[in-house]
Amino acid sequence: MTVQIVYSSNGRGNTVPYAPFKSGIRQNHGFIDLRGKPDEVAAVPETQISLALTDLLITLAQPHSTLISLGCDLGEHTDPGSQLQTRRRAGGYVQVADARMNDAEGNFLKRAAAHIEAALRAAADDSRWSVRFDLTRVDYAFDDHIEAHSFWIWFDAKASTIEKARLSRERLLIAIRIGIETFESNSSTIEAARP
């Protein structure tokens, strides 16, 4: 089993919603509000590339979900300096936040990340994955301006061919979804037990 997991806190954040933009290596299609709208996940262009990402976004878009998606991206590249078995890379990110938009200290998200980490470690087998949970501020600019936390889950699946790297990324995304589902079910059990 080879999964490297790193946690970081980054002072820089972003504002949601955000407009589409392009850079040298990325094309962001802009914010698509999926909160409580799983039927609209197909509007996210990256879902055309990955069934596992589609299922993950549908999980986050459920009306009862305690976590929401604020953005995602997928990409591929070759790292010529790496060993042959890790030269091809299929990766990306998904930005996740507390659906209540009130996680001022990031503790709720840190608990969610622990469940996702456990699911990744359980599913890794002989995969070569690297995952970084980057806790950042987010400024919600909907009707009211609210500042809270989000975390970006940056992931990279490494393999000897791009096809193997893509399949490995699908398994990685499935593990993230399972971790989120475990966290969701644990959170609802805790909420149900409260008087």
Side-chain angles (χ1 to χ4, degrees), residues 28-186:
N28 190 299
H29 300 283
F31 177 70
I32 299 173
D33 190 356
L34 299 175
R35 294 174 297 162
K37 300 180 264 186
D39 293 342
E40 296 186 22
V41 166
V44 176
E46 291 83 2
T47 62
Q48 304 307 308
I49 300 169
S50 168
L51 181 58
L53 178 64
T54 303
D55 291 343
L56 171 58
L57 294 178
I58 288 171
T59 297
L60 291 167
Q62 293 302 315
H64 62 274
S65 181
T66 61
L67 296 170
I68 56 173
S69 168
L70 300 180
C72 64
D73 197 10
L74 296 175
E76 300 169 355
H77 70 279
T78 299
D79 183 3
S82 293
Q83 296 178 350
L84 182 59
Q85 64 266 29
T86 60
R87 191 162 292 171
R88 307 292 185 215
R89 311 287 175 92
Y93 78 86
V94 61
Q95 185 183 7
V96 178
D98 180 350
R100 300 165 299 177
M101 298 182 211
N102 68 355
D103 192 15
E105 302 303 318
N107 294 325
F108 184 78
L109 293 174
K110 290 173 186 173
R111 288 195 308 272
H115 283 269
I116 296 167
E117 177 181 351
L120 286 164
R121 292 194 185 283
D125 294 329
D126 62 348
S127 302
R128 294 176 177 90
W129 296 340
S130 59
V131 179
R132 187 177 82 235
F133 294 93
D134 194 7
L135 186 69
T136 63
R137 302 296 289 174
V138 60
D139 179 25
Y140 293 104
F142 295 116
D143 297 331
D144 295 323
H145 282 274
I146 301 168
E147 191 174 294
H149 275 95
S150 72
F151 66 89
W152 300 62
I153 307 172
W154 295 92
F155 49 85
D156 202 17
K158 307 164 195 172
S160 58
T161 68
I162 198 60
E163 293 80 14
K164 288 179 181 178
R166 288 177 188 147
L167 288 171
S168 185
R169 178 178 63 195
E170 289 293 282
R171 291 191 311 275
L172 187 154
L173 285 164
I174 290 167
I176 291 172
R177 179 181 50 79
I178 289 168
I180 287 171
E181 288 172 345
T182 303
F183 173 72
E184 292 281 359
S185 111
N186 184 273

